[in-house]
Amino acid sequence: MKEVTIIPLDNYLDDEEVKLWLQGDPIQTEGMNGVEIYGKLFDIREKFYQWINRNMLEINYRILCQQTHRSSQQERITELQKVDRDILFKDMNGDQPSYSEDVIDPSFDKLCKFLDNQFSTGFYSALYTTHKETMDKQLEEQTLILNLFGVEQLYEVRLPGKLLTTNAPHIKDESPVWKVNAYYFLAEDFVLTAESRKSNAWAFIVTGLLIGIAIVSSILIKNRKN
């Protein structure tokens, strides 16, 4: 069977859009009001969910191809190999808004019914009915990573001295705080950065001593002159 690949995110979003949507980028929204920010994010959101839905189709299609291959129905195997999945994705979505989270539901029913209509057959729906448990289990195993996107992790770092710089969105009692989820790491690593400076007590003591010595020396010199 023809290998099915996962569609990369940069097919739908450029680097700046990925940065803003997944990790946040105040530089891109500087000087924009709420309406302008909403419009910018809405467009990115639509393309992001198009990417998710497109990959869900790839996973469903791969599992369906594998099950079809096991059936030894050469006619069906051949027709699946000829399907242009970019066109299939557009035809299946139709006028349905691709940015809706509801569309993400990975249903084999929709795919099999669409292919049945496309090729004037009832084979694919019947195949799914017969092997539903197996195919659903494969889908669950191959999409386990999606469970991570509902989890948030709170990080708080206590640093010595005065906080100078950080990319943390929140500061609590001079400590940077990050609320991180899997979206931050979807496209690249996300590095938590913070820098502080601790006062050097010895430096203050030495400086004080030097000032004191200078004052005493100045007084002694004046007294000698007098």
Side-chain angles (χ1 to χ4, degrees):
M1 298 296 292
K2 186 177 181 180
E3 183 180 356
V4 179
T5 57
I6 298 302
I7 308 302
L9 182 56
D10 58 17
N11 282 19
Y12 288 82
L13 299 175
D14 61 33
D15 291 342
E16 288 187 351
E17 291 172 328
V18 169
K19 177 68 175 177
L20 177 60
W21 183 251
L22 298 179
Q23 297 183 347
D25 186 3
I27 295 177
Q28 292 190 51
T29 55
E30 185 177 2
M32 300 174 66
N33 62 28
V35 175
E36 293 169 329
I37 294 173
Y38 176 82
K40 185 177 184 67
L41 292 177
F42 186 88
D43 292 339
I44 295 175
R45 181 175 184 265
E46 178 176 0
K47 290 187 285 188
F48 178 72
Y49 281 112
Q50 283 180 345
W51 171 73
I52 291 180
N53 296 335
R54 181 68 175 80
N55 278 292
M56 290 306 303
L57 173 65
E58 288 295 316
I59 295 171
N60 288 345
Y61 193 85
R62 174 172 55 200
I63 295 172
L64 179 62
C65 285
Q66 291 169 348
Q67 197 61 53
T68 302
H69 193 268
R70 294 188 189 101
S71 72
S72 301
Q73 295 284 334
Q74 189 57 49
E75 178 183 356
R76 302 308 171 194
I77 294 172
T78 301
E79 65 190 12
L80 285 181
Q81 289 177 329
K82 295 179 180 179
V83 170
D84 185 322
R85 290 188 300 281
D86 288 328
I87 296 176
L88 175 64
F89 178 67
K90 293 177 182 178
D91 290 344
M92 285 182 64
N93 279 337
D95 296 328
Q96 193 172 15
S98 55
Y99 54 79
S100 171
E101 289 97 330
D102 296 335
V103 186
I104 300 176
D105 179 29
S107 172
F108 284 109
D109 285 324
K110 184 177 180 181
L111 174 60
C112 291
K113 288 177 181 177
F114 189 88
L115 290 173
D116 282 340
N117 292 332
Q118 187 83 3
F119 297 111
S120 302
T121 180
F123 171 81
Y124 298 105
S125 294
L127 182 73
Y128 177 57
T129 299
T130 303
H131 301 283
K132 183 179 187 303
E133 184 177 350
T134 300
M135 295 172 69
D136 286 349
K137 184 178 180 180
Q138 286 181 286
L139 179 62
E140 181 180 357
E141 292 173 350
Q142 294 184 34
T143 56
L144 279 175
I145 192 173
L146 296 179
N147 295 330
L148 297 177
F149 291 91
V151 179
E152 289 187 334
Q153 185 72 41
L154 194 67
Y155 293 94
E156 180 176 347
V157 179
R158 296 189 180 277
L159 299 172
K162 182 178 179 58
L163 180 65
L164 299 179
T165 61
T166 180
N167 65 349
H170 308 288
I171 307 296
K172 179 182 177 182
D173 299 329
E174 284 295 311
S175 296
V177 180
W178 296 264
K179 184 186 291 185
V180 179
N181 53 45
Y183 289 101
Y184 281 84
F185 304 93
L186 186 58
E188 61 183 6
D189 291 340
F190 180 67
V191 180
L192 312 181
T193 62
E195 180 183 1
S196 70
R197 177 180 295 163
K198 186 177 181 179
S199 300
N200 191 330
W202 282 105
F204 283 115
I205 292 172
V206 171
T207 302
L209 288 172
L210 291 174
I211 293 174
I213 292 170
I215 293 173
V216 171
S217 298
S218 177
I219 294 173
L220 290 174
I221 291 172
K222 287 182 178 179
N223 290 336
R224 288 175 180 176
K225 288 181 178 180
N226 293 333

